[in-house]
Amino acid sequence: MTTLLEELKGIVGPRGWTTDARALEPHLTEWRGTYRGRTLVMVEPTCADEVGRIVKACAAAGAGIVPQGGNTGMCGGAVPDSSGQQVILSLGRMHRVRAVDVENFSMEVEAGCILANAQEAAKAAGLHLPLSMGAEGSCQVGGNIATNAGGINVGRYGTARALVLGLEVVLADGTVLDSLRSLRKDTAGYDLKQLFIGSEGTLGIITAASLRLYPDPGELTTAMLGIDSAGAAVEVLRRLKVALDNRIEAFELVSQRVFGLVTQHIAGARSPFEVEYPWYVLLEAASGGGPEGLEKALTAELDAGRVLDAVVAKNETEAAELWRLRHSIAEAERQDGKALKHDISVPLSRMQEFLARGDELLAELRPDARLVAFGHVGDGNLHYNVVLPRTLRDDEWAAEGTRISRGIYDLVDELGGSFSAEHGVGQAKRAWLREYRSGAELGLMRQLKKTLDPANILNPGKVISVSYTHLRAHETRY
Ligand code: FAD
Ligand code: 2HG
Ligand code: ZN
């Protein structure tokens, strides 16, 4: 009888699989080193048909499949479990930009296309793919869609979901679902693609996408502001949006402590200011006729004392240097030590309250903890990370982490927010999903999972726990 391994090798051919320990190493560990697993084999198909055959073979053998894009995710979703029986399905060889439709403002790409390459292809056609984040040089469009990624331009263009016009997805029985339409209006039945966006590989494997593009925003002005409080940033954003007729492309908040981490750990990173400010905003505005609009609006904010200092980039090189400071935060934080990650969102109108009450809460829960707060304040999403003293043992760290996270998430919940704004749930936040989603929501999620993945082979153990009573004991993977 052919084993699963032999069958998979036959489907993808000699260049499409590996069991080599060295080649597998970067695929077995989450990039921060928090999660690590083992695998039977990593397969790298080249088309949806091969993905379908792989899924069929795994379904017949009862083997779990872990779809993997750039493995830049924050919640351990792309890493297999420790059984050594799960199959990693890497989308890396399905990386083509199939077409850019200039008249339709859309493009069709394969799931393994690196986000930066998709952006470049849109730009080369005179258009703009606005999804953008620090990991864009390695994350893939399929991974972005599977996590419903956010990034720096959400305030103006929405999350990955808002950019998806159509999808090609391989289902749990190996069927290739072709919903690759590129329409802005389509009310023919249920909008099936929405099920797979943000499902983190647990409902289907995305193999291609049709994406919404925008006109090139033209010249962008980048500025960094020194401000006194995060609350002031929310007010400045509100005023700039009005003054600039909503032409704010990005509005990122960074605390001095975070800035300090970047200048300490990232080679060549320097502050553009001579003095330190408690908080900074990095903003990008579409000029729409010239940079004067932004400069005038910033002068008004400086005069009113809401902005303490401002540096406007004079050219693209200076703008890139400012963005490098922002995009290096995750790496600087990793180098600094293990942080307790909180990727939260609250309605913008509650942001000031969250920050004020969050400070008080942290001082009460753990006065010796360090807050590493930054993020996409323009869309109500903060990375409210907490660094605990290095002296804690691992078990103490875990217990304290749970206690502090619960306090923060309770506050977020009270303010109508979410404990997972843009990174998803993966394996890191499954327990929190159970606590902060209602019984009705969880019930429907479980029903969907069972319907779309009746044998529990699609990224088992991620996002939501489902009991599969019909499976025999040795097949139950939760
Ligand atoms: P992976 O990490 O490989 O996978 C993520 C999840 O999606 C896993 O559950 C995996 O199984 C599933 N998956 C991957 N591909 C597919 C597919 N084709 N079909 C079905 N399921 C699939 N995230 C943000 O939202 N905003 C940010 O600003 C941001 N900044 C970041 C900055 C840095 C420096 C880093 C390292 C990460 C950042 N992230 C950010 C997190 C991460 O980049 C995103 O979550 C990204 O969307 C993940 O893409 P990926 O290709 O690396 O997916
Ligand atoms: C970012 O905005 C990413 O830089 C990473 O979403 C956030 O490291 C983090 O906590
Ligand atoms: Zn982020």
Side-chain angles (χ1 to χ4, degrees):
M1 200 178 82
T2 321
T3 62
L4 175 62
L5 186 57
E6 291 310 314
E7 199 173 344
L8 294 176
K9 286 179 184 175
I11 293 169
V12 291
R15 292 181 54 220
W17 63 272
T18 184
T19 51
D20 176 72
R22 217 140 41 121
L24 283 176
E25 184 53 32
H27 302 274
L28 296 177
T29 312
E30 185 230 21
W31 69 278
R32 288 186 303 143
T34 315
Y35 296 95
R36 188 176 169 75
R38 293 165 60 228
T39 190
L40 177 71
V41 60
M42 180 171 86
V43 285
E44 297 184 85
T46 54
C47 62
D49 178 57
E50 279 182 15
V51 176
R53 288 163 62 205
I54 291 166
V55 172
K56 267 194 192 121
C58 289
I65 304 167
V66 183
Q68 192 174 92
N71 196 16
T72 66
M74 295 281 181
C75 299
V79 176
D81 68 12
S82 57
S83 68
Q85 297 306 308
Q86 295 189 330
V87 172
I88 298 178
L89 192 154
S90 164
L91 279 299
R93 291 210 298 166
M94 295 178 62
H95 53 68
R96 276 186 323 128
V97 173
R98 289 184 183 161
V100 179
D101 185 342
V102 176
E103 283 177 15
N104 192 47
F105 285 85
S106 65
M107 73 193 300
E108 193 177 304
V109 297
E110 291 179 348
C113 182
I114 302 279
L115 176 57
N117 295 345
Q119 292 167 346
E120 273 306 311
K123 197 170 173 184
L127 297 175
H128 181 50
L129 173 62
L131 189 65
S132 174
M133 64 195 75
E136 64 197 25
S138 28
C139 64
Q140 300 176 0
V141 169
N144 299 143
I145 296 171
T147 53
N148 186 20
I152 59 172
N153 294 333
V154 170
R156 190 151 195 219
Y157 301 99
T159 61
R161 184 182 300 280
L163 301 173
V164 175
L165 295 173
L167 284 184
E168 179 185 82
V169 181
V170 173
L171 305 178
D173 64 356
T175 305
V176 180
L177 178 82
D178 184 353
S179 278
L180 261 182
R181 284 174 285 269
S182 54
L183 305 170
R184 271 140 188 96
K185 289 187 134 182
D186 181 5
T187 54
Y190 303 132
D191 190 356
L192 296 175
K193 66 179 180 291
Q194 301 297 349
L195 286 172
F196 304 99
I197 304 172
S199 72
E200 302 180 54
T202 62
L203 301 181
I205 299 171
I206 299 163
T207 48
S210 166
L211 300 175
R212 180 194 296 266
L213 299 178
Y214 282 84
D216 185 332
E219 202 178 323
L220 297 174
T221 308
T222 305
M224 187 168 262
L225 318 179
I227 50 170
D228 200 26
S229 70
V234 177
E235 179 61 13
V236 171
L237 170 64
R238 194 180 65 73
R239 288 170 180 273
L240 289 183
K241 266 187 181 170
V242 175
L244 297 176
D245 198 17
N246 210 23
R247 279 183 282 110
I248 303 287
E249 298 272 316
F251 196 89
E252 296 284 310
L253 182 72
V254 182
S255 71
Q256 167 54 37
R257 188 187 299 282
V258 175
F259 214 48
L261 287 184
V262 174
T263 48
Q264 182 187 343
H265 292 291
I266 304 297
R270 278 185 308 112
S271 169
F273 297 110
E274 281 173 10
V275 293
E276 289 182 358
Y277 296 100
W279 292 88
Y280 303 90
V281 162
L282 180 57
L283 79 86
E284 195 164 72
S287 306
E292 304 80 24
L294 176 63
E295 287 184 14
K296 195 168 150 216
L298 284 181
T299 305
E301 293 306 301
L302 282 160
D303 290 347
R306 281 181 292 272
V307 172
L308 305 178
D309 204 347
V311 170
V312 178
K314 290 192 284 302
N315 49 46
E316 278 186 20
T317 312
E318 284 189 11
E321 273 174 29
L322 293 179
W323 275 111
R324 183 166 169 260
L325 294 171
R326 167 64 183 92
H327 286 325
S328 304
I329 295 175
E331 175 56 23
E333 190 198 75
R334 187 185 68 86
Q335 287 190 29
D336 202 57
K338 194 167 152 193
L340 194 56
K341 296 268 189 193
H342 302 109
D343 161 40
I344 64 99
S345 61
V346 292
L348 256 184
S349 50
R350 311 300 294 270
M351 181 61 87
Q352 301 201 34
E353 186 182 351
F354 169 76
L355 285 160
R357 289 178 60 187
D359 274 357
E360 283 168 21
L361 181 71
L362 215 51
E364 185 190 310
L365 287 174
R366 190 86 214 191
D368 56 356
R370 283 187 294 136
L371 176 63
V372 177
F374 62 99
H376 321 285
V377 69
D379 37 87
N381 171 201
L382 272 190
H383 301 304
Y384 199 76
N385 302 341
V386 174
V387 180
L388 299 176
R390 283 172 189 266
T391 48
L392 292 183
R393 290 191 319 264
D394 282 357
D395 58 329
E396 290 171 334
W397 196 96
E400 274 303 81
T402 305
R403 191 175 71 95
I404 292 167
S405 295
R406 187 182 306 284
I408 292 170
Y409 291 153
D410 278 350
L411 173 60
V412 167
D413 197 48
E414 186 194 322
L415 298 180
S418 171
F419 69 91
S420 174
E422 63 170 8
H423 295 158
V425 173
Q427 42 183 319
K429 295 186 185 154
R430 281 193 333 164
W432 298 117
L433 184 76
R434 281 200 298 275
E435 291 203 25
Y436 294 104
R437 282 295 177 266
S438 68
E441 286 169 309
L442 290 169
L444 192 52
M445 286 188 212
R446 291 198 176 102
Q447 222 172 309
L448 276 171
K449 170 72 177 167
K450 280 187 170 181
T451 305
L452 290 178
D453 183 20
N456 193 23
I457 57 160
L458 295 177
N459 218 357
K462 311 291 166 47
V463 185
I464 187 153
S465 309
V466 181
S467 125
Y468 284 80
T469 43
H470 66 286
L471 294 178
R472 281 165 302 187
H474 75 276
E475 291 175 326
T476 307
R477 280 168 289 275
Y478 291 116

Short mmCIF file of all heavy atoms in Angstrom, two decimals, residues 55 59 63-65 171-173 201-204 446-461 466 468 470-471 477-478:
data_model
loop_
_atom_site.label_atom_id
_atom_site.label_comp_id
_atom_site.label_asym_id
_atom_site.label_seq_id
_atom_site.Cartn_x
_atom_site.Cartn_y
_atom_site.Cartn_z
N VAL A 55 -4.81 17.56 -0.73
CA VAL A 55 -5.86 17.57 0.30
C VAL A 55 -6.60 16.23 0.29
O VAL A 55 -6.87 15.66 1.35
CB VAL A 55 -6.81 18.77 0.09
CG1 VAL A 55 -8.02 18.68 1.02
CG2 VAL A 55 -6.07 20.09 0.32
N ALA A 59 -6.83 13.76 3.37
CA ALA A 59 -8.14 13.44 3.93
C ALA A 59 -8.28 11.92 4.05
O ALA A 59 -8.75 11.40 5.07
CB ALA A 59 -9.24 14.02 3.05
N ALA A 63 -4.69 12.88 7.80
CA ALA A 63 -3.56 13.71 8.24
C ALA A 63 -3.92 15.19 8.20
O ALA A 63 -4.54 15.65 7.24
CB ALA A 63 -2.35 13.46 7.34
N GLY A 64 -3.52 15.93 9.22
CA GLY A 64 -3.76 17.36 9.27
C GLY A 64 -2.86 18.11 8.30
O GLY A 64 -1.72 17.71 8.06
N ILE A 65 -3.38 19.23 7.73
CA ILE A 65 -2.61 20.04 6.78
C ILE A 65 -2.46 21.43 7.37
O ILE A 65 -3.46 22.05 7.77
CB ILE A 65 -3.35 20.17 5.44
CG1 ILE A 65 -3.66 18.79 4.87
CG2 ILE A 65 -2.56 21.01 4.45
CD1 ILE A 65 -4.66 18.85 3.73
N LEU A 171 -11.13 23.20 -1.06
CA LEU A 171 -11.95 22.78 0.09
C LEU A 171 -11.41 21.49 0.71
O LEU A 171 -10.55 20.83 0.13
CB LEU A 171 -13.40 22.60 -0.35
CG LEU A 171 -14.03 23.81 -1.05
CD1 LEU A 171 -15.46 23.48 -1.48
CD2 LEU A 171 -14.01 25.04 -0.15
N ALA A 172 -12.00 21.12 1.84
CA ALA A 172 -11.47 19.97 2.61
C ALA A 172 -11.60 18.63 1.89
O ALA A 172 -10.95 17.66 2.25
CB ALA A 172 -12.18 19.90 3.96
N ASP A 173 -12.45 18.56 0.83
CA ASP A 173 -12.53 17.30 0.08
C ASP A 173 -11.70 17.38 -1.20
O ASP A 173 -11.79 16.49 -2.06
CB ASP A 173 -14.00 16.97 -0.26
CG ASP A 173 -14.62 18.00 -1.18
OD1 ASP A 173 -13.94 19.02 -1.50
OD2 ASP A 173 -15.79 17.82 -1.59
N GLY A 201 -6.70 29.38 7.54
CA GLY A 201 -6.42 28.05 6.99
C GLY A 201 -7.25 26.94 7.60
O GLY A 201 -7.01 25.76 7.33
N THR A 202 -8.26 27.26 8.40
CA THR A 202 -9.05 26.21 9.06
C THR A 202 -10.30 25.82 8.28
O THR A 202 -10.96 24.84 8.61
CB THR A 202 -9.50 26.65 10.48
OG1 THR A 202 -10.34 27.80 10.35
CG2 THR A 202 -8.32 26.97 11.37
N LEU A 203 -10.64 26.57 7.23
CA LEU A 203 -11.85 26.25 6.46
C LEU A 203 -11.55 25.93 4.99
O LEU A 203 -12.39 25.36 4.30
CB LEU A 203 -12.85 27.41 6.53
CG LEU A 203 -13.36 27.83 7.92
CD1 LEU A 203 -14.35 28.98 7.82
CD2 LEU A 203 -13.97 26.66 8.67
N GLY A 204 -10.40 26.33 4.51
CA GLY A 204 -10.05 26.08 3.12
C GLY A 204 -8.65 26.61 2.85
O GLY A 204 -8.11 27.38 3.65
N ARG A 446 -18.33 26.83 15.31
CA ARG A 446 -18.08 25.37 15.36
C ARG A 446 -18.87 24.64 14.27
O ARG A 446 -18.37 23.72 13.63
CB ARG A 446 -18.47 24.82 16.74
CG ARG A 446 -17.55 25.29 17.82
CD ARG A 446 -17.63 24.43 19.07
NE ARG A 446 -16.65 24.90 20.03
CZ ARG A 446 -16.94 25.67 21.09
NH1 ARG A 446 -18.17 25.98 21.36
NH2 ARG A 446 -15.97 26.10 21.89
N GLN A 447 -20.10 25.10 14.08
CA GLN A 447 -20.95 24.47 13.05
C GLN A 447 -20.32 24.65 11.66
O GLN A 447 -20.29 23.73 10.86
CB GLN A 447 -22.30 25.17 13.08
CG GLN A 447 -23.48 24.23 12.96
CD GLN A 447 -24.76 25.01 13.19
OE1 GLN A 447 -24.89 25.72 14.18
NE2 GLN A 447 -25.69 24.91 12.27
N LEU A 448 -19.81 25.86 11.42
CA LEU A 448 -19.16 26.13 10.13
C LEU A 448 -17.94 25.23 9.95
O LEU A 448 -17.72 24.66 8.87
CB LEU A 448 -18.71 27.59 10.06
CG LEU A 448 -19.76 28.60 9.63
CD1 LEU A 448 -19.25 30.02 9.82
CD2 LEU A 448 -20.13 28.38 8.17
N LYS A 449 -17.13 25.15 11.00
CA LYS A 449 -15.91 24.34 10.91
C LYS A 449 -16.27 22.88 10.61
O LYS A 449 -15.68 22.26 9.73
CB LYS A 449 -15.14 24.46 12.24
CG LYS A 449 -13.97 23.51 12.39
CD LYS A 449 -12.77 23.85 11.52
CE LYS A 449 -11.60 22.90 11.76
NZ LYS A 449 -10.56 23.01 10.74
N LYS A 450 -17.27 22.36 11.31
CA LYS A 450 -17.64 20.95 11.09
C LYS A 450 -18.21 20.73 9.70
O LYS A 450 -18.00 19.70 9.08
CB LYS A 450 -18.67 20.53 12.13
CG LYS A 450 -18.08 20.19 13.46
CD LYS A 450 -19.17 19.62 14.35
CE LYS A 450 -18.62 19.04 15.61
NZ LYS A 450 -19.66 18.48 16.46
N THR A 451 -18.95 21.72 9.21
CA THR A 451 -19.56 21.58 7.88
C THR A 451 -18.50 21.62 6.79
O THR A 451 -18.51 20.83 5.85
CB THR A 451 -20.58 22.71 7.65
OG1 THR A 451 -21.51 22.68 8.72
CG2 THR A 451 -21.31 22.56 6.32
N LEU A 452 -17.57 22.58 6.92
CA LEU A 452 -16.59 22.77 5.85
C LEU A 452 -15.39 21.83 5.98
O LEU A 452 -14.66 21.61 5.02
CB LEU A 452 -16.11 24.22 5.82
CG LEU A 452 -17.15 25.23 5.33
CD1 LEU A 452 -16.62 26.64 5.38
CD2 LEU A 452 -17.59 24.90 3.91
N ASP A 453 -15.18 21.30 7.18
CA ASP A 453 -14.02 20.43 7.39
C ASP A 453 -14.43 19.25 8.25
O ASP A 453 -13.97 19.09 9.39
CB ASP A 453 -12.90 21.25 8.06
CG ASP A 453 -11.62 20.45 8.24
OD1 ASP A 453 -11.45 19.42 7.55
OD2 ASP A 453 -10.79 20.84 9.07
N PRO A 454 -15.31 18.37 7.71
CA PRO A 454 -15.91 17.32 8.54
C PRO A 454 -14.89 16.32 9.10
O PRO A 454 -15.15 15.69 10.11
CB PRO A 454 -16.91 16.63 7.60
CG PRO A 454 -16.54 17.06 6.23
CD PRO A 454 -15.83 18.38 6.34
N ALA A 455 -13.73 16.17 8.45
CA ALA A 455 -12.75 15.21 8.98
C ALA A 455 -11.66 15.91 9.79
O ALA A 455 -10.69 15.28 10.21
CB ALA A 455 -12.13 14.42 7.83
N ASN A 456 -11.80 17.21 9.98
CA ASN A 456 -10.85 17.97 10.80
C ASN A 456 -9.41 17.83 10.32
O ASN A 456 -8.51 17.48 11.08
CB ASN A 456 -10.95 17.52 12.27
CG ASN A 456 -10.22 18.49 13.19
OD1 ASN A 456 -10.01 19.64 12.85
ND2 ASN A 456 -9.82 18.01 14.36
N ILE A 457 -9.21 18.13 9.05
CA ILE A 457 -7.83 18.03 8.53
C ILE A 457 -7.23 19.40 8.22
O ILE A 457 -6.04 19.51 7.97
CB ILE A 457 -7.76 17.16 7.24
CG1 ILE A 457 -8.68 17.71 6.17
CG2 ILE A 457 -8.04 15.70 7.55
CD1 ILE A 457 -8.30 17.22 4.78
N LEU A 458 -8.06 20.45 8.20
CA LEU A 458 -7.53 21.76 7.81
C LEU A 458 -7.05 22.54 9.04
O LEU A 458 -7.84 22.98 9.87
CB LEU A 458 -8.60 22.57 7.06
CG LEU A 458 -9.02 21.99 5.71
CD1 LEU A 458 -10.13 22.81 5.08
CD2 LEU A 458 -7.83 21.91 4.75
N ASN A 459 -5.76 22.68 9.14
CA ASN A 459 -5.10 23.38 10.25
C ASN A 459 -5.74 23.04 11.60
O ASN A 459 -6.15 23.94 12.36
CB ASN A 459 -5.13 24.90 10.01
CG ASN A 459 -3.83 25.55 10.48
OD1 ASN A 459 -2.95 24.88 11.03
ND2 ASN A 459 -3.70 26.85 10.27
N PRO A 460 -5.78 21.74 11.93
CA PRO A 460 -6.42 21.36 13.19
C PRO A 460 -5.70 22.00 14.38
O PRO A 460 -4.49 22.17 14.37
CB PRO A 460 -6.26 19.84 13.25
CG PRO A 460 -5.59 19.43 12.00
CD PRO A 460 -5.20 20.61 11.20
N GLY A 461 -6.48 22.33 15.39
CA GLY A 461 -5.88 22.89 16.61
C GLY A 461 -5.71 24.39 16.56
O GLY A 461 -5.19 24.98 17.50
N VAL A 466 -13.12 22.12 18.32
CA VAL A 466 -14.39 21.49 17.94
C VAL A 466 -14.30 20.03 18.32
O VAL A 466 -13.28 19.38 18.10
CB VAL A 466 -14.59 21.61 16.41
CG1 VAL A 466 -15.90 20.98 15.99
CG2 VAL A 466 -14.53 23.06 15.97
N TYR A 468 -15.14 16.38 17.54
CA TYR A 468 -15.58 15.56 16.40
C TYR A 468 -15.93 14.18 16.93
O TYR A 468 -15.13 13.26 16.89
CB TYR A 468 -14.46 15.45 15.37
CG TYR A 468 -14.28 16.70 14.53
CD1 TYR A 468 -13.58 17.79 15.01
CD2 TYR A 468 -14.80 16.77 13.24
CE1 TYR A 468 -13.40 18.92 14.24
CE2 TYR A 468 -14.63 17.90 12.46
CZ TYR A 468 -13.93 18.97 12.97
OH TYR A 468 -13.76 20.08 12.20
N HIS A 470 -17.78 11.90 15.83
CA HIS A 470 -17.87 10.78 14.89
C HIS A 470 -16.50 10.21 14.52
O HIS A 470 -16.41 9.14 13.95
CB HIS A 470 -18.59 11.23 13.61
CG HIS A 470 -17.81 12.24 12.83
ND1 HIS A 470 -17.69 13.54 13.24
CD2 HIS A 470 -17.08 12.13 11.70
CE1 HIS A 470 -16.94 14.21 12.38
NE2 HIS A 470 -16.57 13.37 11.43
N LEU A 471 -15.42 10.94 14.84
CA LEU A 471 -14.11 10.40 14.51
C LEU A 471 -13.70 9.38 15.56
O LEU A 471 -14.01 9.53 16.74
CB LEU A 471 -13.06 11.52 14.48
CG LEU A 471 -13.24 12.57 13.39
CD1 LEU A 471 -12.17 13.65 13.52
CD2 LEU A 471 -13.14 11.94 12.01
N ARG A 477 -8.13 15.06 16.73
CA ARG A 477 -6.90 15.81 16.86
C ARG A 477 -6.99 16.99 17.82
O ARG A 477 -6.14 17.84 17.83
CB ARG A 477 -6.44 16.25 15.48
CG ARG A 477 -5.73 15.15 14.72
CD ARG A 477 -5.54 15.50 13.29
NE ARG A 477 -6.79 15.47 12.57
CZ ARG A 477 -7.31 14.37 12.04
NH1 ARG A 477 -6.70 13.25 12.14
NH2 ARG A 477 -8.46 14.43 11.41
N TYR A 478 -8.04 17.15 18.57
CA TYR A 478 -8.04 18.18 19.63
C TYR A 478 -8.04 17.49 20.97
O TYR A 478 -8.80 16.57 21.16
CB TYR A 478 -9.30 19.05 19.56
CG TYR A 478 -9.35 19.93 18.37
CD1 TYR A 478 -10.33 19.78 17.42
CD2 TYR A 478 -8.37 20.91 18.20
CE1 TYR A 478 -10.37 20.60 16.33
CE2 TYR A 478 -8.42 21.74 17.11
CZ TYR A 478 -9.42 21.58 16.17
OH TYR A 478 -9.47 22.38 15.09
#
